[in-house]
Amino acid sequence: LVVIWVHSSNAVLYLGEGSLAADLVARVERGISEGVGQIAVPGFFMISGYLFYRNCTWEKVGAKVKSRVRSVLVPYIVWNFLYYLGYVVASRLPWISQVVGKGVIPFSLWGAVDAILHYTYNYVFWYLFQLVLLILLAPVLYPVLKRRGSRVLVFAALWVCVARDIRLPYVNAYALIYYATWSALSMEAWGRETVEAPVHPWALGSVLMGLSVFCYWNGLRLAWIPGFVLCRLLGVAGLWLLVPGESLPEAGAWMHMNFFLYATHFAQVRLINKVGARFFAGNPAVALGLYLFMPVVVLGVTWPVGTVVPRKLPRVWGMLNGGR
């Protein structure tokens, strides 16, 4: 839901730039998208890393990689191809092509391959692309993170890369820090006990959230990239510890369609905002209201599909939602 906010900013689309109303709406949206949104995708990496390496052994590495083929790789390929087809068709429909704004997109084998490999028409799948790479690195990451000495060396190298803006080939250094930190946490008995305890130390969670805000503020003030990375790590950990685990209800049905929601939200958000701007351009109340309620709107659109398709087409749903 926070990821939806990250991609829902619409102040410029509705109000342009330069006016007081546009500036106020943009400030509110930026505060949520860039402030609260700091913990969205990093949270995905941390949870993914924790669950992959939780109770992991050498004998289980292969099986865990294989299980992620169904839950990550297959839907990554399917959704990228569907997005490509969607843009090809939409670019040829008169009214919709104006909303898409990409001209006529040619249909070809290379175009499909490029769309799948480089998530060309589904930008938010950069996360899944990175996750696929991290999963494939499991035979290397597991022995390195399992040993505390090599773990320290790897994290030191990664933080140097972040501080000096050194780009790693293919793998995003920030993503690797988020993923590896909670992967290492899952390998320690004290880490699992803390994360999975029914009663969390909320005082520690409050301290971590405060430190997260402090790191974010310093990152902005000093243009200090490690501050943002620390902000995200501490923010996710703090929020987790603030959640009262023992009193949470069972996961609702809509929570099980999380992959489908993630895969479709970007297209929904862009379409809703662009159509809305055609009818309510210049209206700051509509722009801000739609932004604030966009997670609810997108969930409302997704809910019927996620309710009907699993019953009617379970195999199709399995591919679209990663077997969840």
Side-chain angles (χ1 to χ4, degrees), residues 1-317:
L1 297 178
V2 176
V3 169
I4 294 174
W5 264 328
V6 171
H7 298 128
S8 297
S9 298
N10 58 14
V12 174
L13 184 64
Y14 276 77
L15 307 170
E17 296 183 34
S19 69
L20 178 60
D23 184 56
L24 289 174
V25 172
R27 283 174 180 268
V28 173
E29 293 182 357
R30 208 162 39 240
I32 297 174
S33 294
E34 298 180 11
V36 179
Q38 291 289 324
I39 64 174
V41 175
F44 280 168
F45 280 116
M46 295 180 212
I47 294 169
S48 298
Y50 186 91
L51 291 177
F52 188 97
Y53 289 99
R54 180 179 179 269
N55 299 326
C56 188
T57 62
W58 260 121
E59 292 72 23
K60 294 180 180 179
V61 169
K64 282 179 172 282
V65 171
K66 185 178 179 180
S67 72
R68 267 60 175 186
V69 169
R70 181 190 179 196
S71 63
V72 177
L73 182 59
V74 170
Y76 173 82
I77 294 171
V78 169
W79 276 112
N80 280 335
F81 182 66
L82 289 177
Y83 264 83
Y84 173 62
L85 285 182
Y87 272 94
V88 167
V89 173
S91 69
R92 288 164 171 76
L93 300 177
W95 188 79
I96 298 180
S97 65
Q98 298 176 16
V99 176
V100 173
K102 289 184 176 291
V104 177
I105 297 171
F107 180 69
S108 66
L109 177 60
W110 172 245
V113 172
D114 179 65
I116 291 171
L117 291 179
H118 302 120
Y119 48 91
T120 310
Y121 299 96
N122 192 13
Y123 312 117
V124 299
F125 266 27
W126 76 269
Y127 157 71
L128 274 189
F129 177 76
Q130 288 295 316
L131 186 58
V132 168
L133 295 180
L134 292 171
I135 290 168
L136 294 177
L137 284 173
V140 176
L141 285 177
Y142 176 71
V144 170
L145 295 177
K146 188 70 176 174
R147 296 176 178 84
R148 292 175 183 173
S150 56
R151 185 193 305 169
V152 169
L153 292 176
V154 166
F155 279 120
L158 287 174
W159 280 104
V160 168
C161 289
V162 169
R164 298 188 178 181
D165 196 24
I166 298 173
R167 303 294 178 89
L168 300 177
Y170 299 108
V171 178
N172 183 296
Y174 307 165
L176 186 50
I177 285 179
Y178 306 140
Y179 186 84
T181 298
W182 274 46
S183 297
L185 193 63
S186 73
M187 296 179 184
E188 298 286 351
W190 65 266
R192 293 191 299 274
E193 290 172 3
T194 303
V195 172
E196 300 176 34
V199 179
H200 294 153
W202 61 268
L204 176 59
S206 301
V207 170
L208 293 181
M209 289 298 288
L211 289 173
S212 174
V213 173
F214 176 76
C215 290
Y216 179 66
W217 178 75
N218 271 287
L220 290 175
R221 188 172 64 91
L222 305 173
W224 187 51
I225 299 301
F228 292 114
V229 178
L230 279 170
C231 155
R232 295 157 189 165
L233 281 168
L234 296 172
V236 173
L239 181 60
W240 183 267
L241 294 178
L242 286 175
V243 172
E246 77 282 359
S247 60
L248 287 177
E250 288 296 317
W254 66 273
M255 297 180 187
H256 293 283
M257 60 181 77
N258 57 354
F259 191 100
F260 184 82
L261 186 66
Y262 170 70
T264 60
H265 81 274
F266 189 64
Q268 293 185 56
V269 165
R270 292 196 66 181
L271 182 62
I272 291 168
N273 270 332
K274 286 191 173 185
V275 172
R278 284 180 169 267
F279 295 97
F280 299 101
N283 191 320
V286 172
L288 183 58
L290 188 57
Y291 171 83
L292 293 175
F293 287 96
M294 190 65 80
V296 178
V297 173
V298 172
L299 185 59
V301 174
T302 305
W303 172 264
V305 180
T307 303
V308 174
V309 176
R311 293 202 309 264
K312 302 293 184 180
L313 301 167
R315 290 186 179 179
V316 172
W317 180 254

